Amino acid sequence: MTPSESIKNLGILIPEVPKALAIYVPSKRIGDTIYTSGQLPLVSGTLRKTGQLGSQISLEDGKKEAEQCVLNALATLLLHIPSLDEVSEIVKLGVFVSSTPDFTDHHLVANGASELISKIFGEKGRHSRFAIGVSSLPLGACVELEMVATVR
């Protein structure tokens, strides 16, 4: 199944590219590799949730916010390619989780992103990844994600 077919079957809509919050581009293509800037879980320019995992945000909500970050990152890939079917593979995800000092399930929050990538891209979605806790993120977001993908 192609990524486009998977997206359709999952009932997913790829959003418009979120506007940059500072002086940077949403993604940059160098050869066959696209590097995304950090993507927040913005929906129509607004965060659905703010706060930290381990206090204001539940693990399940954190995973959903990580999924939204993926959708925003995929939108930025489409600035460089006509379709997500042009993605050769998702190489790496970097997931930043705003959390309290005692929260240790960053990897499980990042699984929200990894699981969605796997559903969309199948074997092409197998990626390396890091998940790290931070004390705060822009706008009070609970998750931020960066992606590296290769394309045809």
Side-chain angles (χ1 to χ4, degrees):
M1 188 177 307
T2 67
S4 294
E5 292 168 336
S6 295
I7 287 168
K8 184 177 179 183
N9 286 344
L10 293 166
I12 293 172
L13 294 174
I14 301 297
E16 289 189 30
V17 176
K19 293 190 187 323
L21 301 175
I23 302 172
Y24 60 88
V25 294
S27 58
K28 182 141 184 135
R29 182 174 179 169
I30 300 174
D32 292 338
T33 305
I34 301 174
Y35 302 85
T36 73
S37 293
Q39 296 297 313
L40 301 177
L42 295 167
V43 176
S44 301
T46 305
L47 293 171
R48 297 179 291 198
K49 304 239 179 235
T50 58
Q52 293 185 312
L53 277 286
S55 61
Q56 301 100 334
I57 308 292
S58 71
L59 177 59
E60 284 308 309
D61 285 343
K63 288 176 72 170
K64 289 177 187 167
E65 297 304 289
E67 290 175 358
Q68 185 62 45
C69 292
V70 165
L71 298 178
N72 292 341
L74 294 177
T76 75
L77 297 182
L78 292 171
L79 295 171
H80 306 279
I81 54 176
S83 163
L84 293 175
D85 297 342
E86 299 293 313
V87 172
S88 301
E89 64 182 315
I90 303 299
V91 177
K92 185 174 186 176
L93 297 181
V95 182
F96 301 87
V97 179
S98 179
S99 60
T100 59
D102 60 333
F103 184 80
T104 59
D105 287 334
H106 310 91
H107 61 294
L108 298 179
V109 174
N111 277 352
S114 294
E115 290 166 2
L116 182 56
I117 289 291
S118 294
K119 288 177 187 174
I120 294 171
F121 292 99
E123 195 62 29
K124 292 179 182 180
R126 292 180 52 90
H127 55 272
S128 63
R129 182 184 88 184
F130 70 81
I132 187 170
V134 297
S135 62
S136 67
L137 289 168
L139 306 178
C142 60
V143 182
E144 184 172 357
L145 175 139
E146 66 177 10
M147 177 186 292
V148 179
T150 57
V151 297
R152 295 183 254 161

